[in-house]
Amino acid sequence: DVAEARVVVGAGVGSVPPEIFPLVKELAAQIEGSVGGSRPVIDEGRIERDRLIGQTGRFISPDLYLALGVSGASQHVGGIQDSKTIVSINRDPQAAIFQSSDVGLVADLRQVLPALIEKIKQAKKDGKII
């Protein structure tokens, strides 16, 4: 349940291409997070309707919200505003999500996600992450 999760990985329209979306799921699994999504991702059928984050979906307040390819439409931001920490990755430096983020990275998910997943796996293997 995204509304109860301590860590939520939010999938936006920038994360739904077939070569990216499996990485979103893998990252969520690696950090023991729940996957939620913005309206376009739900409408495309990539994620179940009960995982819609925003004013017409679920309001969430996780310790960490990781927004991947999320544009930052006001309807979505309204549903994440109680998150303790918001980290966003988007290739558009003008994406509205950055205004609501504690940390933002302008980058292509195709490059960042494989590297991030590998770093997490290595940190777990080295005992740096339990």
Side-chain angles (χ1 to χ4, degrees):
D1 183 0
V2 292
E4 302 297 324
R6 290 182 46 227
V7 176
V8 176
V9 176
V13 73
S15 68
V16 295
E19 69 274 15
I20 297 176
F21 195 68
L23 297 171
V24 172
K25 288 182 168 180
E26 184 177 354
L27 176 62
Q30 288 295 322
I31 61 175
E32 298 178 10
S34 181
V35 177
S38 63
R39 165 77 55 202
V41 177
I42 303 302
D43 289 347
E44 190 171 300
R46 292 285 187 165
I47 301 174
E48 301 83 18
R49 171 92 172 85
D50 65 341
R51 294 180 173 273
L52 173 62
I53 299 169
Q55 292 175 340
T56 58
R58 307 298 298 269
F59 286 78
I60 62 171
S61 55
D63 293 336
L64 172 63
Y65 178 63
L66 181 55
L68 303 177
V70 173
S71 66
S74 61
Q75 295 87 350
H76 185 79
V77 171
I80 66 169
Q81 62 190 356
D82 290 334
S83 301
K84 289 183 180 69
T85 302
I86 300 172
V87 176
S88 301
I89 304 172
N90 196 301
R91 67 180 180 186
D92 178 5
Q94 303 303 316
I97 192 67
F98 290 129
Q99 296 173 9
S100 301
S101 301
D102 297 292
V103 177
L105 175 63
V106 177
D108 189 324
L109 292 171
R110 288 175 183 86
Q111 297 171 350
V112 171
L113 290 182
L116 182 57
I117 291 165
E118 197 53 44
K119 289 279 188 188
I120 292 168
K121 286 179 178 180
Q122 188 61 49
K124 284 181 173 182
K125 183 178 175 183
D126 294 344
K128 295 178 183 176
I129 297 176
I130 298 174

